[in-house]
Amino acid sequence: MNQTVIVIDFGGQYSQLIARKIRECHVYCELLPWTAPAETILEKKPVGIVLSGGPASVYEEDAPTIDRRLLEQGIPVLGICYGCQLTVHLLGGRVEAAAQDTAREYGRTATHYDAACPLFEDLPAEGTAWMSHGDYVSALPDGFSVFAETAHCPNAGIADPARRLYGLQFHPEVRHTENGTEMIRAFLEKVCGAQGDWTMQDYCERAIRAVREQAGDGRILLALSGGVDSAVAAALIDRAVGERLTCVYVDHGLMRKGESDAIEAFYSGLRLRFVRVNAQERFLTRLEGVTAPEEKRKIIGAEFVRVFEEAAREAGGADFLAQGTIYPDVIESGAAGGHTIKSHHNVGGLPQHTGFQGIIEPLRVLFKDEVRALGRELGLPEVIVGRQPFPGPGLAVRVIGEVTAEKLELVREADAIFREELEKHVPRVPADQYFAVLTNMETVGVMGDQRSYQRTIALRAVCTEDFMTADFTRIPYDVLAEASRRIVNEVPGINRVVYDITSKPPATVEYE
Ligand code: XMP
């Protein structure tokens, strides 16, 4: 059993980020909604509790709150933004709405820290913190003192060290806060006494044992999408049960250049049984004449399920279905007790098979970066673990309008060139996702002395923490120039390349 920290979620946009940062510090944590009963939280014997931010005001009727007893157990508590205000409110201090332009703060804010507080002990006294609040703490509860302040917010960091209660008005989990992760780490190590016992090496061994126990002598079937999650799940289950695992990879013909072959080459080297179903023609036929994005998605999802089920029957069925479900999927589908943001169907809508004795989900408690770390622990190559997110419907949503074999070839070649060029410049040009899109625009060009009338490729690259919001990557012109030069020279049918300079919102990352 790992030492556990509980993050109580008040609906703040950064709640998952807090949990990820805690895990980054090698401390296991779970994210629970504020409605979770105190007993449920205490049963987990947390070494610390973190109260997240949230959009509410503590003095609103029906404002989210917690059982006050959670502050009285001697368990260290760190309240962040709303969590800080709630702590103050529950313990008899005062929280007020900031009058316009006085205590209301938003964005990067110069902050002074007092090294007498363990959270700031080893950090510079001055730094930038990320603020985002309309309310502020105007009077401290008994026992509390101030340890951080800004020009407009005298109580930016507060604590009652005797009761081990801490509060930050700013967001240490957001990367714009300088040394924010160090503050979280200091809370975990110095206040909670966390020993950093959450490592992927330990997790890997335990997860392998758990899969063996659950599967017994049974056979396991896994739908491989080519993505990181199902790849890591496959590698882990392979370690656990070897040839009793069958992986079915449906090649829908919508993957990027060389990707399906790379997947096949890799899995053929493992002990498991690997089945590649070449269904490219089937998918293309179904997509003929279809231009609406949602219709494309539905067709691909439904066809995927049909092909997978046929392949599963041919492989002789299995006792268990394995899935690469990860923690954000669990949180966002409300299974952890929170609100449903979106229902996740793993592998493009695979239905809950009734013929199986059970579902095996060895990554259910892991965040994406942990899944990658686990993949490395399992010896997976970088092309698999470092793979950027790629939509289930594949290139079909990166070809605007009808999908044809010819158009797929254009986008595949352009995409490969763009990725190759950008990857030459890592880390100078950091991007979390980058790809090419074949637009439906044709324009006039001149090549040699010839007039051309051909298609336009749009290049897209974004930097993001969570893909809910994203900023377009500031790619230097020389890198764009080389990518553009190569694409128009090497991909016949393309005479124009544009770079997308919209962020999300208002645009989305993908075009469809
Ligand atoms: P958007 O376009 O919604 O993309 O800003 C956010 C992230 O989600 C990925 N994405 C998808 N992934 N099936 C998927 O598995 C889909 O239909 C899909 N649409 C978008 C996208 O690549 C980005 O990482």
Side-chain angles (χ1 to χ4, degrees):
M1 196 47 200
N2 291 99
Q3 289 182 309
T4 300
V5 166
I6 298 295
V7 179
I8 300 182
D9 181 8
F10 292 101
Q13 54 177 328
Y14 305 126
S15 303
Q16 265 198 44
L17 201 52
I18 299 173
R20 272 177 47 203
K21 294 282 169 185
I22 294 173
R23 298 269 192 102
E24 245 177 73
C25 298
H26 300 291
V27 178
Y28 180 70
C29 75
E30 290 184 22
L31 185 66
L32 294 178
W34 63 270
T35 47
E39 288 69 29
T40 309
I41 293 165
L42 295 175
E43 267 166 24
K44 295 184 184 278
K45 304 210 177 338
V47 296
I49 295 175
V50 178
L51 309 176
S52 86
S57 289
V58 291
Y59 41 76
E60 275 169 13
E61 221 180 299
D62 298 329
T65 188
I66 49 165
D67 190 327
R68 208 190 121 121
R69 284 178 301 155
L70 290 174
L71 303 175
E72 295 166 348
Q73 306 291 316
I75 301 171
V77 175
L78 172 63
I80 295 176
C81 198
Y82 181 80
C84 171
Q85 295 158 8
L86 181 65
T87 306
V88 166
H89 181 68
L90 288 173
L91 297 177
R94 203 165 61 239
V95 176
E96 287 179 55
Q100 205 73 30
D101 296 334
T102 55
R104 186 181 292 245
E105 290 176 305
Y106 187 80
R108 291 183 173 88
T109 310
T111 306
H112 174 80
Y113 304 107
D114 180 346
C117 174
L119 271 57
F120 311 130
E121 211 167 46
D122 304 322
L123 303 180
E126 309 297 328
T128 303
W130 183 256
M131 290 282 185
S132 172
H133 64 107
D135 295 348
Y136 73 110
V137 171
S138 58
L140 299 182
D142 289 345
F144 274 76
S145 322
V146 176
F147 291 98
E149 58 194 325
T150 72
H152 295 295
C153 182
N155 300 319
I158 58 173
D160 178 347
R163 284 190 283 174
R164 304 205 289 175
L165 302 176
Y166 292 78
L168 301 176
Q169 185 53 69
F170 57 89
H171 290 270
E173 71 279 21
V174 171
R175 67 177 157 182
H176 308 307
T177 295
E178 285 170 341
N179 296 308
T181 306
E182 292 316 308
M183 296 172 197
I184 293 175
R185 190 190 308 281
F187 173 71
L188 297 168
E189 291 177 1
K190 296 180 184 173
V191 183
C192 304
Q195 278 145 22
D197 61 3
W198 171 249
T199 67
M200 276 306 112
Q201 193 183 4
D202 280 355
Y203 178 79
C204 186
E205 287 162 19
R206 272 184 284 133
I208 290 169
R209 279 200 302 274
V211 170
R212 280 194 194 126
E213 245 167 61
Q214 192 186 349
D217 296 331
R219 294 184 52 211
I220 305 173
L221 192 71
L222 178 94
L224 265 185
S225 67
V228 181
D229 305 343
S230 62
V232 174
L236 189 130
I237 299 170
D238 168 61
R239 283 275 181 96
V241 304
E243 68 256 15
R244 280 188 286 121
L245 169 66
T246 301
C247 291
V248 176
Y249 171 65
V250 175
D251 183 0
H252 53 21
L254 305 166
M255 301 297 271
R256 291 167 295 182
K257 188 175 180 181
E259 201 164 23
S260 290
D261 291 343
I263 289 168
E264 179 167 11
F266 175 72
Y267 288 97
S268 305
L270 299 181
R271 295 170 302 164
L272 47 79
R273 297 202 299 156
F274 175 79
V275 180
R276 172 175 174 176
V277 188
N278 289 311
Q280 298 93 324
E281 285 302 318
R282 271 178 77 157
F283 279 86
L284 267 188
T285 308
R286 296 259 175 201
L287 288 169
E288 252 170 40
V290 181
T291 54
E294 277 312 297
E295 205 184 336
K296 286 186 194 173
R297 275 200 170 73
K298 280 194 195 120
I299 290 172
I300 293 165
E303 191 61 14
F304 183 92
V305 172
R306 268 193 294 272
V307 177
F308 177 78
E309 285 180 340
E310 285 169 24
R313 266 196 302 278
E314 269 171 39
D319 306 291
F320 294 90
L321 179 70
Q323 299 200 117
T325 313
I326 70 171
Y327 198 41
D329 304 341
V330 176
I331 297 170
E332 285 166 18
S333 25
H339 294 292
T340 303
I341 297 172
K342 54 184 167 187
S343 303
H344 283 259
H345 308 276
N346 270 289
V347 228
L350 210 60
Q352 295 298 309
H353 284 248
T354 46
F356 293 104
Q357 267 178 45
I359 308 271
I360 293 181
E361 295 178 316
L363 314 179
R364 230 182 128 77
V365 299
L366 303 185
F367 284 109
K368 195 77 172 190
D369 11 12
E370 295 174 314
V371 173
R372 292 190 208 277
L374 177 61
R376 292 188 182 105
E377 188 66 40
L378 287 160
L380 288 180
E382 212 46 42
V383 308
I384 296 205
V385 279
R387 187 186 191 259
Q388 46 171 306
F390 185 64
L395 298 177
V397 293
R398 294 182 183 169
V399 167
I400 310 306
E402 188 189 4
V403 180
T404 64
E406 177 234 334
K407 288 188 196 168
L408 285 170
E409 203 46 35
L410 293 181
V411 75
R412 211 173 256 135
E413 291 301 320
D415 180 72
I417 292 170
F418 180 46
R419 286 190 290 131
E420 191 184 315
E421 288 304 320
L422 208 57
E423 280 161 15
K424 285 183 192 162
H425 299 278
V426 173
R428 178 167 71 114
V429 187
D432 298 297
Q433 198 173 5
Y434 44 100
F435 52 88
V437 174
L438 182 66
T439 70
N440 53 0
M441 180 169 78
E442 287 178 296
T443 67
V444 173
V446 52
M447 276 174 144
D449 289 331
Q450 297 281 318
R451 175 186 190 272
S452 66
Y453 191 65
Q454 295 179 327
R455 290 187 185 276
T456 301
I457 281 284
L459 302 179
R460 181 90 166 123
V462 294
C463 294
T464 175
E465 291 245 9
D466 55 8
F467 294 93
M468 309 281 272
T469 62
D471 202 8
F472 77 88
T473 308
R474 273 49 168 182
I475 300 183
Y477 283 160
D478 57 318
V479 181
L480 285 173
E482 186 57 11
S484 161
R485 189 193 64 76
R486 283 193 57 199
I487 290 170
V488 289
N489 277 294
E490 296 174 31
V491 189
I494 302 298
N495 70 351
R496 193 177 292 270
V497 177
V498 296
Y499 184 56
D500 184 342
I501 53 167
T502 26
S503 291
K504 172 184 178 176
T508 53
V509 175
E510 302 287 348
Y511 275 39
E512 288 202 332

